């Protein structure tokens, strides 16, 4: 992975989750062809997760991060996939719950 990373590797792990649970509809972009596509968003998300206290907080942080490159997008409006955003939030929350430093 070529992403700029946080010192503990959180952004890199989040980028892998973004690739696994791509929040965009597959026809909308080439995000599913490039393992580095989500690096910037993963880094932004890593910065926001320190205050997350629930899966809902993580989901809100993901949507806030996605609003930067896709400002007028909404879940299930033909661009963002709600099922994948939910899965991404669950996986990121699980990752946070099992980190020793949080």
């Amino acid at each position: 992975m070529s992403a700029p990373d946080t010192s503990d590797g959180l952004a890199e792990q989040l980028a892998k989750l973004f690739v696994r649970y791509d929040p965009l509809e597959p026809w909308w972009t080439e995000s599913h062809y490039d393992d580095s596509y989500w690096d910037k968003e993963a880094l932004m998300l890593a910065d926001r997760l320190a205050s997350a206290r629930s899966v809902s907080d993580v989901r809100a942080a993901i949507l806030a991060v996605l609003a930067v490159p896709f400002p007028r997008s909404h879940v299930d409006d033909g661009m963002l996939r709600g099922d994948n955003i939910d899965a991404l939030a669950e996986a990121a929350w699980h990752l946070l719950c099992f980190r020793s430093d949080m």
Side-chain angles (χ1 to χ4, degrees), residues 2 33 41 44 60 62:
S2 61
Y33 294 123
E41 290 78 8
M44 288 190 297
I62 291 167

Side-chain angles (χ1 to χ4, degrees), residues 20-58:
R20 182 178 213 178
Y21 304 107
D22 193 330
L24 297 179
E25 291 291 350
W27 55 266
W28 205 85
T29 183
E30 289 80 33
S31 61
H32 53 283
Y33 294 123
D34 182 0
D35 286 347
S36 296
Y37 185 89
W38 294 110
D39 291 353
K40 190 172 10 172
E41 290 78 8
L43 191 58
M44 288 190 297
L45 183 59
D47 290 340
R48 292 175 179 250
L49 290 184
S51 62
R53 301 291 178 243
S54 68
V55 174
S56 296
D57 291 345
V58 174

Side-chain angles (χ1 to χ4, degrees), residues 1 3-6 8-16 39 42-43 46:
M1 170 164 199
D5 199 3
T6 55
D8 58 4
L10 180 59
E12 182 176 353
Q13 292 171 326
L14 291 170
K16 290 176 183 178
D39 291 353
L43 191 58

